[in-house]
Amino acid sequence: MIIVKLGGSIISDKNKPFSFNESVVKQIAEEIAAFYPAKKFLLVHGGGSFGHPLAKKYKIREGLKKENMSGVSKIHQAMLELNKKIIEIFLDTGLPAFSISSSSIFIIKNGQIVDGWTRVIEESIARDFIPVLFGDVAIAKDKGIDILSGDQIISYLAGKLKPEKVIFLMDVDGIYDKNPKIHEDARLIEEINEKISLRQEAAGIDVTGGVRNKIDEALKIPCPVYFINGMVRGNLTKAIKGERVGTRKL
Ligand code: ADP
Ligand code: IPE
């Protein structure tokens, strides 16, 4: 089984509220379809401009307050809307994508999953479904409510479900020594390990810690991890085949 993260930065334009990159999701579905059902998949997508701006607006990371309760629900609904768009494209491509709401099966503390009911994920993969989870609001033991990032979901599920590999699809070619969108001389790192040090950048609209959080979570994953540019057709195919592309954690 392979876990693929559809980063918010490729499925939507993080600077345009509620924008959806239909053609990129279509391309990803087509590349996965070439391997299914010989290979099994589990997908997790991010919030992009459906999740982060609303999470900021309703100050969800400050925890549960009387005045943000309806905001919690609105964020979840926005994520369901994004999830529906993605599921429909996979179904049109002939893939049995099956939506599973993260907030219905996980409880978190300090942004990390501390309680999870994953049987339904395992049982649906066993039946050849492709479960599709997503970054979401979640019940939090410490703050009452908080944001659960797709990257946290992936490290938790990778620990439990022991996938063959994990592939993060991003809008840049992998992990660089500094933000390649700001620094022209940024250098792509072919292989990362726990010694990696990066120049810290402001997180922009991102409420879940951006690329630093992604790397920290990836380093906990007990199987090979790829960080690749999901906008480039063929990259996902290469990563699934185990060919050299982007950044790897072995
Ligand atoms: P996603 O939404 O796809 O899960 P993020 O938006 O959290 O991913 O992270 C990808 C973004 O992180 C890229 O658009 C890139 O501009 C930015 N970034 C900042 N620093 C780095 C870095 N050192 N290497 C790669 N990307 C970086
Ligand atoms: C964030 O999930 C979910 C919400 C803001 C509701 P992620 O942290 O996985 O999202 P991206 O990939 O950065 O957009």
Side-chain angles (χ1 to χ4, degrees):
M1 187 269 287
I2 297 176
I3 300 182
V4 181
K5 162 96 189 266
L6 282 65
S9 62
I10 59 161
I11 57 179
S12 78
D13 179 341
K14 283 196 174 177
N15 297 315
K16 276 194 217 133
F18 303 104
S19 57
F20 181 61
N21 286 343
E22 190 179 330
S23 61
V24 172
V25 178
K26 221 174 229 157
Q27 174 197 303
I28 293 163
E30 284 165 7
E31 291 196 45
I32 288 177
F35 293 91
Y36 175 87
K39 287 208 183 283
K40 293 171 182 268
F41 292 90
L42 185 163
L43 309 182
V44 179
H45 67 77
S49 66
F50 285 71
H52 292 284
L54 287 180
K56 218 165 222 179
K57 178 176 173 192
Y58 295 112
K59 301 188 169 72
I60 302 300
R61 298 239 78 165
E62 293 176 14
L64 184 62
K65 307 169 185 190
K66 276 251 161 346
E67 57 282 12
N68 70 10
M69 286 183 83
S70 61
V72 169
S73 190
K74 281 181 189 163
I75 294 166
H76 179 62
Q77 293 305 122
M79 289 308 302
L80 287 176
E81 208 182 300
L82 174 60
N83 181 255
K84 182 167 187 271
K85 290 179 189 288
I86 293 170
I87 299 274
E88 276 170 358
I89 290 173
F90 275 77
L91 293 177
D92 285 348
T93 314
L95 295 168
F98 180 55
S99 171
I100 296 177
S101 273
S102 309
S103 49
S104 302
I105 58 170
F106 296 125
I107 289 182
I108 64 177
K109 188 179 173 186
N110 198 18
Q112 301 284 341
I113 296 169
V114 289
D115 206 351
W117 193 67
T118 52
R119 274 272 317 270
V120 69
I121 300 175
E122 292 165 67
E123 296 288 342
S124 51
I125 294 171
R127 287 161 178 74
D128 277 348
F129 284 101
I130 300 178
V132 186
L133 286 84
F134 46 88
D136 202 352
V137 286
I139 300 294
K141 283 194 165 170
D142 48 354
K143 298 183 186 172
I145 201 84
D146 202 357
I147 298 293
L148 171 59
S149 167
D151 299 339
Q152 258 76 13
I153 297 173
I154 286 182
S155 66
Y156 178 82
L157 291 179
K160 281 215 145 180
L161 309 182
K162 307 277 182 280
E164 156 193 348
K165 67 181 79 162
V166 171
I167 303 169
F168 287 96
L169 302 178
M170 308 166 64
D171 66 341
V172 293
D173 287 347
I175 306 297
Y176 290 75
D177 57 351
K178 48 195 163 186
N179 190 346
K181 284 199 184 152
I182 299 176
H183 305 278
E184 261 180 36
D185 62 340
R187 199 175 50 82
L188 182 71
I189 303 171
E190 279 195 23
E191 204 180 304
I192 60 162
N193 54 38
E194 48 293 330
K195 291 193 203 108
I196 185 173
S197 79
L198 296 179
R199 200 166 135 172
Q200 282 294 337
E201 311 284 359
I205 70 154
D206 213 297
V207 298
T208 49
V211 81
R212 182 69 250 182
N213 177 58
K214 198 183 296 303
I215 293 168
D216 289 343
E217 291 309 304
L219 291 173
K220 299 176 191 165
I221 295 175
C223 70
V225 180
Y226 286 75
F227 303 86
I228 61 173
N229 193 333
M231 321 275 268
V232 178
R233 187 181 284 275
N235 272 358
L236 177 55
T237 302
K238 282 187 193 161
I240 294 171
K241 287 184 175 166
E243 292 170 12
R244 236 197 158 82
V245 57
T247 300
R248 285 188 306 175
K249 179 209 77 80
L250 296 173

